[in-house]
Amino acid sequence: MTALAYPMPLCVAPMMDWTDRHCRFFFRQLSRHTLLYTEMVTTGAVLHGKRDRLLGFSPAEHPVALQLGGSEPAELAASARIGEEWGYDEINLNVGCPSDRVQSGRFGACLMAEPDLVARGVAAMREAVRIPVTVKSRIAIDDMEEWSTLEDFVRRVSAAGCTRFIIHARKAWLKGLSPKENRDVPPLRYDLVYRLKAEFPHLDISLNGGVKTLDAAAEHLPHVDGVMMGRAPYETPYLLADADRRFFGGTGAPPTRHAVVDAMLPYIEAQRSQGAPLGAITRHMLGLFQGLPGARAWRRHLSENAHEDGAGPEVVVAAAAKVPREAGLQAVA
């Protein structure tokens, strides 16, 4: 467990089917300090599921936060306690996911209409654990007025003791838009997140949504405490390689792309020995050489060979050999 130092200038968003333990270990080879998040895990899964599979992670992933989905305070408290016992550095409550499945379970973005319930959940979790309890939300849902909804939500939930909010700067439409459309269609309102920080200066406010480069993240930081990036680092992961220098006071040179591959090989060997399929790990690495000569050959070799019986680190070594080492030294994307 790591004692987190807030504000946290950069973190990578929790993303279903993407930010699993293999993805996070890979990201950690690029940035030592960027805060990483699990996929959302429901309280029911934490309390009744296979915890080794759901919650297990490598100590090398620190700092890492567990994102919970749920709304019943006692279940949230029990799940947060388990997360702390497993060694997570932060517990985050999902109040932003707009999918039908999430709504039917009475969690995710629909909870923006129930700030007092969220506040009770936060209070219960804070009483149960010593690590930080944070909330990730939208700015509003459906026909609710954006600023008044956001301001009221944060005021009520912060009164329960939450001091860190990550705001996806879009409204969520629970009816009429798919989860994918909800990531792109509603307009971004960065101005409202900036205003939130101005009116709640004592709170730690991070901005999420549409941030595609480290330069863009840096442009937001005069107005908020931190930035959460999502799809961009997943699709072009090497952009994280300069994060430590730019945002965390790092002085060393970013790792080369080939050095990142080399660092992954012992992990791949260990995970294969425990039964993890190679493809479950390498699918997160496909974008490492994005934009460089040989990147297509790297992706093709992994895609065609990682799922073969017995495939191991040698497949990754052979794929990396298709990218000239001098190309892998090119600057951060």
Side-chain angles (χ1 to χ4, degrees), residues 68-81:
L68 293 176
S71 59
E72 206 287 319
E75 293 179 357
L76 285 170
S79 299
R81 190 178 298 111

Side-chain angles (χ1 to χ4, degrees), residues 5 7-11 31 33-35 243-250:
M8 178 62 65
L10 190 70
C11 55
S31 170
H33 302 293
T34 299
L35 178 59
D244 290 352
R245 182 187 66 84
R246 294 194 62 173
F247 301 118
F248 297 96

